[in-house]
Amino acid sequence: MKNRMDIKEAEDYLNGIPKFSKKTTMENERKILALLGHPERGQRFIHVAGTNGKGSVCAFLSRILLEQGHHVGTFISPHLVDITERFLIDGEQASEEEFLVAFHQVYDLCQEREGEIVHPSYFEFLFLIGMLIFRERQVDVTVLEVGLGGRLDATNVIEAPRACVIASVSLDHTEILGDTVSQIAGEKAGIIKAGCPVVYDDSVPEASAVIQKTAERNEAFACPVNPSDFEIVERTGSGLTFQMKKAPFAGENFQVPFVADYQAMNASLAVWAAWLLRDHTPAASTWTKGVRRALLHTSWPGRMEPVCPGIYMDGAHNDDGIRVFIEAVTKLSCTGKKYLLFSAVMEKDYETMIDEICRQADFDGFILTKLDSYRALPLKEILEAFEKRTKKPIWSFDHIREAFAFAREKKGEDDLLFIAGSLYLAGSIKELLREENRDSQA
């Protein structure tokens, strides 16, 4: 009998695959899928790309489809705590047992066909696992989030998606995707297939022009969603309400349990994509009742998420993400002080992020820490970047546990604490809170 790994051993194996090493070819990936029996075939895909917001779109869209009676698989990245977070079935994480069965199928194939196939990259391996899990669970629709870019992403081996969605496009991963918005939009638009309708964020003209042209070239219906197509009519500490302005939803109000304004765009993209995918033609007013329920009950951890009273956690980790994070922070009413707990990874443009934070957001103090990751930006560099840009109080800690404990102690009853800069930081905070919950129940 072959040796079987447990969940930790499997994760260690996957973590040993360099995440940012050169990916393999599409041909290699297709060959592996064929050897696995083409688990991707028979699944109906909705393909979602974007610089920021694609994960939220996946969450909203999956919940809408579930509300409509579909059996939904969702493939997302990254995970915050458990690797199984990447594989959702009807909104619930795949079990460790399901993950390990699929992991060993891919692992065994790599060992047996060594020399015939190239070992998949970290993300490719996880994508293959996802396809096996969703086939085994017989989902009838799969919401598939792009890992990086789109055109050359591992997920783009799927052949005929039912639709695709392109969320916000801005500068990120410029060393890989290009150094202009148009170039990056071209990579994102690479998921558009012949005849495949595309719903996209129409906020940035340079990006929209590229997406529209790519859709025309593929004879694909294009559905732009512009910020003028909806209006935020109410904000509270637990969410916001927005009203659609364009038919067939003109005058309809939707609520989302998120405080950041950008979630109105992400929810709108999901609503329009779901409308294009509907299996029949119900009256819009009837159809929207289920959608309203779905949006209100959508959860998406680490995106302006209230994790404790007065504490919000956001995965903002690039220039555009920080910009919309700051907008959300500014619009949240606070009778006390606002503090930020921050860290970052090396490959991000942390100087620009910190510059935006110090210039645009009125924080009363900054708590800095170092991530527990080989990609962690040295604390000294983070500290120096803040000291050059602000005279506000700064506290720095070598470990996230110490930083979070200090931040909570520092926060008064009327103060707000925000956590941003990296999804790795969000994941670490999640794990600390989970530990606390376990200890309190012991």
Side-chain angles (χ1 to χ4, degrees), residues 81-152:
V81 180
D82 300 320
I83 198 167
T84 51
E85 294 170 23
R86 294 171 180 258
F87 319 100
L88 306 177
I89 300 93
D90 295 338
E92 299 294 328
Q93 291 175 217
S95 68
E96 288 185 4
E97 291 75 16
E98 287 177 300
F99 170 80
L100 287 171
V101 167
F103 167 84
H104 283 110
Q105 284 181 261
V106 182
Y107 174 81
D108 291 345
L109 182 68
C110 291
Q111 305 307 307
E112 293 163 3
R113 301 291 183 132
E114 186 178 6
E116 182 181 345
I117 59 174
V118 179
H119 193 290
S121 69
Y122 176 87
F123 185 78
E124 290 165 349
F125 206 118
L126 291 170
F127 169 70
L128 296 166
I129 289 173
M131 295 304 95
L132 290 167
I133 290 174
F134 297 146
R135 178 178 67 179
E136 181 65 24
R137 292 292 292 271
Q138 297 182 320
V139 301
D140 63 70
V141 62
T142 301
V143 179
L144 187 62
E145 181 185 352
V146 165
L148 176 64
R151 182 176 63 91
L152 298 176

Side-chain angles (χ1 to χ4, degrees), residues 53-282:
K54 59 184 183 291
S56 297
V57 171
C58 288
F60 285 126
L61 190 49
S62 295
R63 188 75 192 198
I64 293 171
L65 294 169
L66 182 59
E67 176 71 31
Q68 293 174 344
H70 290 283
H71 185 30
V72 186
T74 313
F75 178 72
I76 55 174
S77 64
H79 60 279
L80 296 182
V81 180
D82 300 320
I83 198 167
T84 51
E85 294 170 23
R86 294 171 180 258
F87 319 100
L88 306 177
I89 300 93
D90 295 338
E92 299 294 328
Q93 291 175 217
S95 68
E96 288 185 4
E97 291 75 16
E98 287 177 300
F99 170 80
L100 287 171
V101 167
F103 167 84
H104 283 110
Q105 284 181 261
V106 182
Y107 174 81
D108 291 345
L109 182 68
C110 291
Q111 305 307 307
E112 293 163 3
R113 301 291 183 132
E114 186 178 6
E116 182 181 345
I117 59 174
V118 179
H119 193 290
S121 69
Y122 176 87
F123 185 78
E124 290 165 349
F125 206 118
L126 291 170
F127 169 70
L128 296 166
I129 289 173
M131 295 304 95
L132 290 167
I133 290 174
F134 297 146
R135 178 178 67 179
E136 181 65 24
R137 292 292 292 271
Q138 297 182 320
V139 301
D140 63 70
V141 62
T142 301
V143 179
L144 187 62
E145 181 185 352
V146 165
L148 176 64
R151 182 176 63 91
L152 298 176
D153 189 70
T155 61
N156 210 26
V157 294
I158 61 170
E159 295 170 347
R162 289 283 305 279
C164 58
V165 183
I166 301 177
S168 164
V169 176
S170 60
L171 295 177
D172 194 22
H173 293 292
T174 53
E175 74 285 1
I176 299 171
L177 302 179
D179 55 10
T180 68
V181 168
S182 295
Q183 287 176 322
I184 291 174
E187 294 299 314
K188 310 291 185 187
I191 67 172
I192 301 173
K193 307 289 196 304
C196 168
V198 54
V199 179
Y200 65 93
D201 183 335
D202 187 32
S203 301
V204 182
E206 301 95 317
S208 295
V210 174
I211 295 168
Q212 183 68 41
K213 186 176 294 185
T214 306
E216 290 171 1
R217 190 165 60 247
N218 284 277
E219 298 182 344
F221 174 73
C223 176
V225 180
N226 192 274
S228 64
D229 294 338
F230 57 84
E231 177 185 6
I232 295 172
V233 295
E234 184 182 13
R235 294 183 186 86
T236 68
S238 58
L240 56 87
T241 302
F242 65 97
Q243 184 178 87
M244 292 285 208
K245 294 185 172 183
K246 190 165 69 173
F249 309 115
E252 294 282 359
N253 282 3
F254 298 95
Q255 289 179 277
V256 293
F258 305 101
V259 298
D261 286 9
Y262 59 78
Q263 294 293 13
M265 170 59 81
N266 294 331
S268 297
L269 291 168
V271 170
W272 278 105
W275 177 252
L276 294 180
L277 289 163
R278 68 197 187 283
D279 294 325
H280 55 290
T281 54

